[in-house]
Amino acid sequence: MSMRITLNGTPREFPAPVTFAQLLDDLALSNRRLAIERNGEIVPRSRFADSHLADGDRIEVVIAVGGG
Amino acid sequence: MDKLVVAGKTYSSRLLVGTGKYRDFDETRRAIEASGAEIVTVAIRRTNIGQNASEPSLLEVLPPSKYTILPNTAGCYTAQDAVRTLRLARELLDGHALVKLEVLGDAQSLYPNMPETLAAAKTLVDEGFQVMAYCNDDPIMAKQLEELGCVAVMPLASLIGSGMGIINPWNLQIIIDRVQVPVLVDAGIGTASDAAIAMELGCDGVLMNTAIAGSRDAVSMAKAMKLAVEAGRLAYKAGRIGKKLYATASSPIEGLPDWTS
C-alpha cells in the first residue's frame, strides 16, 4: 500500500506506512533540533516513534535559521 | 545594577541582536559575542531536505544553554501564519515561551500589519506565550498590545533594514511614557549613534540585525553597538541638561585679571 505525502512542499511517495521517526531517519535528520507540523497541527517530538504518516498528509519540517 | 527585566527574567545587556545576513556561522558567533547580547533572534524555516547531516546548525553555534533564543515570525503576513510559526518554534525549543511576534503588511515596506499583530498577540498570550511584539510607533497600538498581555512592545525606529535611524523620537517618547512593559526599539538602526539616541530617549533596549551584519566589519560594529547602548542608557539615567538658545559660560565670570593694566 503506497502512500503519498507532501514534504516541505514537495510530493513524496513511500511504499509502506512509516512513522515520523522512520521518516527523519530516512532523511538523515534524526539527531537534528527540528519541529514537525502535520496538516497544520504540531506533532510533538514524544510522538515521533509511534505516530504514522497518513496518505495525503502535508508535512512541514522546520529548523531555526539566522534571522532578525 | 541597572538590568533589563523581560517576562520576569533579568538580563545584563540591553542590546538584542538578530542572527541573519552574516557571511557564515563563524562571523555570526564572533559578532554576537562582541555585542554582549544575551537575547538573540532566530527565524523558523523549512529544513533543506537532503542537506548534509554533518553541517552545523545555528543552535549549535548559539546554544540555548548560553543565549536566550527569541524565535521570530519574519515573513508572516497573517495572524494565523505567525501563530503556527511560533507553535513550531515552541516545540523546536522544548517549550520555550518567549517569542518575537511580527506580522508584516507588505513586502516592500515590511511595515507591521497592526490588526493582524493584535489578533496574533491575543491568541499567543492565551496559549501561554510571552510575546514581545514588533509594532509601529503608534502609542495607541503599543498600549493595546500591553493590555493584551504582551511582555514587551517593540516599535520600529524606521523600516526594517533601512538604516534610517530614529525618524520619530516624539512618538517613541510618548510610548515610553505611557507603556509599563519594556519598550525596545526594533528595526531601522543604522549606526551606533542611533542606538545611543534610542537609549537616551528612555528605551529599555534595542534590537537590531542589519546594522551589524550588513556593516563592513560586523564584529567591530557589534562592539560599537554594545558601547552605544551602554552609553545611551547611562546618559538617560544621568539626566541630560536642557537645551537653550544662548550660551552659558562654563568658566567662572568672577576673578578675571584686569588685562588693561
Side-chain angles (χ1 to χ4, degrees), chain A residues 32 37 45 60 65 67-68, chain B residues 43 46 53 55 84 91 100:
Chain A
R32 294 256 145 179
E37 194 186 64
R45 203 171 306 155
E60 297 286 344
V65 302
Chain B
R46 283 173 166 171
E55 264 177 42
R84 278 173 68 176
E91 180 64 21
K100 172 182 165 178

Side-chain angles (χ1 to χ4, degrees), chain B residues 17-41:
Chain B
V17 295
T19 57
K21 295 188 177 175
Y22 287 100
R23 285 183 198 90
D24 52 41
F25 279 158
D26 185 55
E27 188 186 55
T28 309
R29 183 186 54 73
R30 288 185 299 121
I32 286 167
E33 235 160 62
S35 77
E38 296 161 286
I39 303 177
V40 300
T41 64

Side-chain angles (χ1 to χ4, degrees), chain B residues 175-203:
Chain B
I175 293 171
I176 292 160
D177 187 45
R178 293 192 175 180
V179 169
Q180 310 305 312
V181 294
V183 177
L184 294 89
V185 155
D186 179 3
I189 298 295
T191 188
S193 54
D194 298 332
I197 290 168
M199 297 308 295
E200 287 171 8
L201 286 171
C203 285

